[in-house]
Amino acid sequence: MALNLMLRRASSSVLPCAIRAVGSQRTFRSAVSAVLRVEKTTLSRRTFIPLIQRFSTKPSSDENLIRVIESEIDCAEQPTADEIPDEFPFKIQDNPGERTILLTREYGDEIIKVEVDMPNPDDIEEEEGDGNEDEGADNRTSIPLVVSISKGNGTCLEFGVTAFSDEISIDSLSVKQPEASDDQLAYEGPDFGDLDENLQKAFHKYLEIRGVKPSTTNFLQEYMINKDSKEYLGWLKNLKKFIEK
């Protein structure tokens, strides 16, 4: 009995100390774990952020390219506002980003469409290369036109035209049938220059009456040169946006 009493007293005094010791160790371990987690997170952030910055930074070659493009934008010829003459006979459809414009008008029962392209750069280079050898070659920049004149049944005359500042040259003439297939090789007539001279003059008059004349094409040359400046500037800005992404 005495021995059992002594063992009970000893266990009652040792057990609370053991419990307190275990509790202290758990608290210590929890504290250590918390500190380690904070340090690990801090180290991860410190090492991860420079990695993000390192991989998100653009190559120096891209930065140089952007600077060169910006310089070209600053130096590019700035387009001017287009002032359409009151007597201009066509409506102008000009879509940004496209190199051609479309002119439309009605003449009696005819629908006239003129597709106008950019000035021919080959002509400009030839003029610059000629120097003073040929003074008559000055101001000979040309623009290509495709003139389509259709009537109610869908058949149309299609003229290939080169417009200079002082004259209009008809390069080709063909009759387009609405039911013709693209696979068919339709007869398009002889070369326009091989036609009788009187017939050539008559077709020039035919176009002139319908608004395709030097006063019209002179304005179109200025308009298309200005459009060329607009499109070039927009092209440079689109390049810059793409490189910056």
Side-chain angles (χ1 to χ4, degrees):
M1 292 293 293
L3 180 59
N4 288 336
L5 182 60
M6 290 177 63
L7 290 174
R8 288 177 182 175
R9 289 177 178 175
S11 63
S12 63
S13 61
V14 172
L15 186 58
C17 292
I19 293 173
R20 284 196 299 271
V22 172
S24 298
Q25 289 176 4
R26 289 178 178 173
T27 303
F28 177 74
R29 289 175 181 172
S30 299
V32 170
S33 298
V35 171
L36 289 175
R37 284 196 299 271
V38 171
E39 288 296 328
K40 184 177 180 181
T41 303
T42 304
L43 288 173
S44 298
R45 289 176 179 174
R46 288 175 181 173
T47 56
F48 185 64
I49 292 175
L51 286 175
I52 294 177
Q53 294 173 346
R54 187 186 312 164
F55 286 105
S56 62
T57 302
K58 288 185 175 295
S60 59
S61 59
D62 286 9
E63 294 176 351
N64 291 336
L65 178 57
I66 291 172
R67 284 195 293 269
V68 173
I69 294 174
E70 289 174 342
S71 176
E72 182 65 18
I73 290 174
D74 294 337
C75 296
E77 183 177 352
Q78 298 299 315
T80 58
D82 296 308
E83 296 182 3
I84 302 175
D86 294 335
E87 65 275 12
F88 190 73
F90 293 92
K91 295 179 180 179
I92 300 177
Q93 181 180 330
D94 185 353
N95 298 322
E98 297 182 2
R99 59 173 291 159
T100 61
I101 64 172
L102 182 65
L103 311 179
T104 58
R105 71 168 299 192
E106 294 182 1
Y107 182 79
D109 62 344
E110 300 173 351
I111 297 176
I112 303 172
K113 296 180 180 181
V114 182
E115 186 179 67
V116 187
D117 207 340
M118 292 288 183
N120 193 333
D122 294 336
D123 293 337
I124 297 174
E125 291 174 3
E126 289 175 4
E127 292 170 22
E128 293 175 350
D130 289 341
N132 296 325
E133 294 178 3
D134 186 3
E135 294 180 358
D138 291 341
N139 202 23
R140 292 287 292 177
T141 305
S142 66
I143 52 174
L145 314 174
V146 177
V147 182
S148 299
I149 302 173
S150 61
K151 295 187 177 181
N153 60 0
T155 303
C156 76
L157 293 181
E158 186 174 282
F159 295 83
V161 175
T162 301
F164 299 93
S165 59
D166 55 351
E167 67 174 322
I168 293 174
S169 172
I170 299 176
D171 304 317
S172 63
L173 168 62
S174 60
V175 181
K176 302 291 186 181
Q177 301 292 341
E179 67 276 4
S181 171
D182 293 337
D183 297 332
Q184 296 176 351
L185 296 176
Y187 175 70
E188 296 185 349
D191 290 340
F192 189 81
D194 293 337
L195 295 176
D196 180 79
E197 186 175 350
N198 290 329
L199 188 55
Q200 293 184 41
K201 289 180 179 179
F203 274 118
H204 275 92
K205 189 65 176 179
Y206 180 86
L207 290 180
E208 181 182 346
I209 292 173
R210 287 157 178 78
V212 183
K213 51 189 177 180
S215 60
T216 300
T217 57
N218 285 345
F219 165 74
L220 288 176
Q221 286 207 22
E222 297 176 1
Y223 186 96
M224 295 307 291
I225 289 173
N226 193 45
K227 177 176 173 62
D228 190 26
S229 299
K230 287 180 184 178
E231 298 300 340
Y232 179 59
L233 195 58
W235 180 75
L236 288 173
K237 291 179 178 179
N238 288 336
L239 281 178
K240 180 174 178 286
K241 287 179 182 178
F242 179 83
I243 302 298
E244 286 178 336
K245 287 183 180 179

